[in-house]
Amino acid sequence: MRSLMFPIRHMFIALMLGTMTLVPMGADASSDKAKDLARVEQKGLKSTGENRLNELLVQPAAAKGSVKFSRSWIDAQPKATGSAQWRCLAEALYFEARGETVKGQFAVAEVISNRVKSARFPGSICAVINQGTGKKYQCQFTYTCDGHAEVIAEPQAFARVGKIARLMMDGKVPALTEGATHYHTTAVNPRWARVYTRTTKIGVHLFYRHTWRTASN
């Protein structure tokens, strides 16, 4: 049935397009023909359905490799929504990196994603972000255990990082940090940074990955 309906649907669309193209709309077209054409168009649009029309008009999602690290590009993307895991990532980006460049925010999101993939850390975004929460200043992400209320006071900034979280979770972003699982700002110099491998600097953050030790080294 599907193999028959697919060409029929396209024949209908082609018929509509052909009708719209071939009917003359210049001096030779009568008002009756114009009205008939309008009725055909309205009938076709009505039969297509509102939901389908909305789908056709929605801006397509970004393809992998097409991401641009600029606020103007991010702001032009569709509003992002998602699950509780998406919300956790968006909040982490908001409280940890909303003052960073767009590329820096993507890099922080990548670190969280890398932790989820690592056996050394919990296996979900929310679990990674909330690891150690409950012990003041002993958590992995300070905003979750600093004793201050987590208030989103900048809706536009949150909407932006929400889009970044969505793109990261959908696998649309090229790798930026060479597998980093840690980062810190250039304003501090934590002891652990001396034993991990620094991979890159993006914005005001330095990124690191574990220094793996094996029998061969």
Side-chain angles (χ1 to χ4, degrees):
M1 180 65 73
R2 292 181 63 186
S3 62
L4 290 174
M5 292 188 68
F6 183 79
I8 290 173
R9 183 182 305 164
H10 282 269
M11 288 173 61
F12 172 72
I13 293 172
L15 179 59
M16 285 184 63
L17 292 174
T19 303
M20 293 168 66
T21 303
L22 295 176
V23 173
M25 294 300 292
D28 294 336
S30 67
S31 60
D32 289 339
K33 287 183 179 179
K35 290 178 182 179
D36 289 342
L37 176 59
R39 282 194 292 269
V40 170
E41 291 175 350
Q42 290 174 0
K43 184 177 179 181
L45 291 172
K46 185 176 181 180
S47 65
T48 302
E50 182 178 355
N51 291 337
R52 178 56 181 158
L53 287 174
N54 288 336
E55 289 176 4
L56 293 172
L57 293 173
V58 168
Q59 182 177 355
K64 187 170 184 177
S66 67
V67 171
K68 296 181 180 178
F69 302 117
S70 70
R71 286 192 175 186
S72 59
W73 187 87
I74 289 294
D75 290 343
Q77 301 309 301
K79 180 180 178 181
T81 58
S83 64
Q85 300 297 318
W86 166 81
R87 178 78 186 191
C88 283
L89 182 54
E91 288 182 355
L93 296 177
Y94 178 84
F95 291 111
E96 287 281 310
R98 71 178 178 276
E100 253 285 18
T101 63
V102 169
K103 189 174 184 179
Q105 291 169 346
F106 272 113
V108 170
E110 184 179 307
V111 166
I112 295 170
S113 178
N114 288 341
R115 287 193 174 197
V116 174
K117 297 172 186 176
S118 171
R120 291 172 175 256
F121 298 95
S124 73
I125 292 172
C126 290
V128 161
I129 291 168
N130 291 297
Q131 187 178 11
T133 298
K135 301 176 182 179
K136 195 168 184 179
Y137 297 122
Q138 296 184 44
C139 54
Q140 296 294 308
F141 294 86
T142 307
Y143 81 92
T144 68
C145 67
D146 61 5
H148 299 298
E150 297 157 20
V151 178
I152 297 173
E154 301 175 40
Q156 185 176 5
F158 184 76
R160 185 176 296 122
V161 296
K163 296 175 184 181
I164 291 171
R166 182 76 273 159
L167 289 164
M168 180 60 64
M169 292 179 68
D170 290 346
K172 305 295 185 182
V173 188
L176 297 171
T177 69
E178 298 181 35
T181 51
H182 293 72
Y183 65 87
H184 66 79
T185 70
T186 54
V188 299
N189 185 25
R191 285 183 294 177
W192 56 259
R194 303 170 195 169
V195 296
Y196 288 168
T197 301
R198 178 172 156 180
T199 62
T200 190
K201 177 182 181 294
I202 299 176
V204 298
H205 284 102
L206 301 175
F207 295 85
Y208 302 79
R209 64 169 177 262
H210 284 287
T211 303
W212 299 97
R213 294 186 180 276
T214 64
S216 61
N217 61 13

